[in-house]
């Protein structure tokens, strides 16, 4: 029985990777800001996910499981390489008139990792608050609190940037 579930789970894992490859790439790219690094993060994340495939409790949440691994792998990658990362304007859309995307990108990049993850998942990848909570394995109230804190910091940061 385990072998049948294992093979079925492998197929679903493979299908999720193929169907969500662009979304997963964008998630990795948003963190590392470089095509080659994003591909490295993505490849490492898929290998980590596959090697721990038995930890997936619900086959319907494979994409969320992989998203969490991508975020953690990207954060680890940034810590290990601790280099200055320059962004390009493709990562972000102009959100408000008068505020350019590089200001927003810079402000988001300066958030603490746990705040940045919530903003990226919610506003750049369109996940619902409950889905963000599942991906990051935290409570919905924690997501809301961190999102409130992050948005408050972003407002202050962007306002300061626009006056400079």
């Amino acid at each position: 029985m385990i072998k049948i579930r294992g093979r079925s789970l492998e197929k679903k894992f493979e299908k999720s990777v193929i169907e969500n490859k662009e979304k997963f790439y964008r998630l990795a790219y948003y963190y590392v800001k470089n095509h080659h690094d994003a591909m490295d993060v993505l490849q490492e994340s898929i290998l980590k996910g596959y090697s721990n495939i038995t930890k997936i409790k619900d086959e319907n949440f494979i994409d969320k499981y992989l998203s969490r691994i991508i975020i953690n792998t990207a954060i680890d990658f940034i810590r290990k390489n601790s280099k200055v990362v320059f962004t390009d304007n493709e990562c972000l859309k102009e959100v408000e008139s008068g505020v350019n995307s590089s200001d927003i990108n810079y402000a988001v990049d300066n958030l603490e990792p746990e705040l940045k993850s919530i903003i990226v998942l919610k506003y750049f990848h369109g996940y619902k608050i409950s889905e963000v909570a599942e991906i990051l394995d935290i409570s919905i109230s924690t997501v809301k609190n961190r999102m409130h804190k992050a948005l408050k910091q972003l407002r202050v940061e962007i306002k300061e940037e626009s006056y400079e």
Side-chain angles (χ1 to χ4, degrees):
M1 191 69 158
I2 293 173
K3 289 191 178 205
I4 294 172
R5 182 189 184 272
R7 189 69 191 134
S8 170
L9 189 58
E10 286 177 5
K11 289 285 187 191
K12 288 182 180 182
F13 183 89
E14 181 181 337
K15 182 179 178 187
S16 180
V17 169
I18 292 167
E19 288 177 354
N20 296 298
K21 64 184 174 189
E22 288 88 14
K23 179 175 83 170
F24 292 151
Y25 171 78
R26 285 191 313 268
L27 183 59
Y29 184 87
Y30 188 81
Y31 278 86
V32 297
K33 309 291 190 262
N34 175 297
H35 169 72
H36 297 292
D37 293 343
M39 293 303 288
D40 288 345
V41 165
L42 194 55
Q43 182 178 13
E44 186 177 339
S45 299
I46 292 168
L47 287 172
K48 284 180 185 177
Y50 185 78
S51 65
N52 293 304
I53 200 167
T54 57
K55 293 182 180 179
I56 298 174
K57 294 178 178 87
D58 188 341
E59 296 174 1
N60 297 320
F61 296 111
I62 293 173
D63 61 328
K64 292 178 179 123
Y65 166 77
L66 280 169
S67 293
R68 182 175 31 195
I69 292 172
I70 291 166
I71 290 169
N72 291 335
T73 303
I75 290 170
D76 289 344
F77 177 86
I78 292 167
R79 283 186 188 134
K80 285 178 192 170
N81 294 306
S82 63
K83 59 184 177 183
V84 176
V85 179
F86 294 97
T87 62
D88 62 12
N89 290 337
E90 288 179 14
C91 297
L92 232 22
K93 297 176 191 151
E94 304 261 345
V95 177
E96 298 177 41
S97 58
V99 179
N100 68 40
S101 60
S102 62
D103 290 342
I104 296 168
N105 216 6
Y106 179 78
V108 171
D109 281 343
N110 284 330
L111 290 172
E112 298 167 29
E114 64 272 1
L115 302 179
K116 179 179 178 179
S117 296
I118 289 171
I119 296 299
V120 169
L121 290 170
K122 173 76 172 112
Y123 294 103
F124 299 102
H125 291 279
Y127 285 110
K128 297 175 187 169
I129 290 175
S130 60
E131 294 173 322
V132 173
E134 288 175 31
I135 290 169
L136 298 177
D137 199 24
I138 57 178
S139 71
I140 290 174
S141 62
T142 301
V143 170
K144 289 179 180 179
N145 288 334
R146 288 181 183 172
M147 188 169 56
H148 176 73
K149 182 178 178 182
L151 291 173
K152 186 176 178 181
Q153 287 179 12
L154 287 173
R155 281 186 204 105
V156 169
E157 182 75 25
I158 290 170
K159 192 177 256 187
E160 287 174 5
E161 289 290 322
S162 64
Y163 286 120
E164 291 179 1

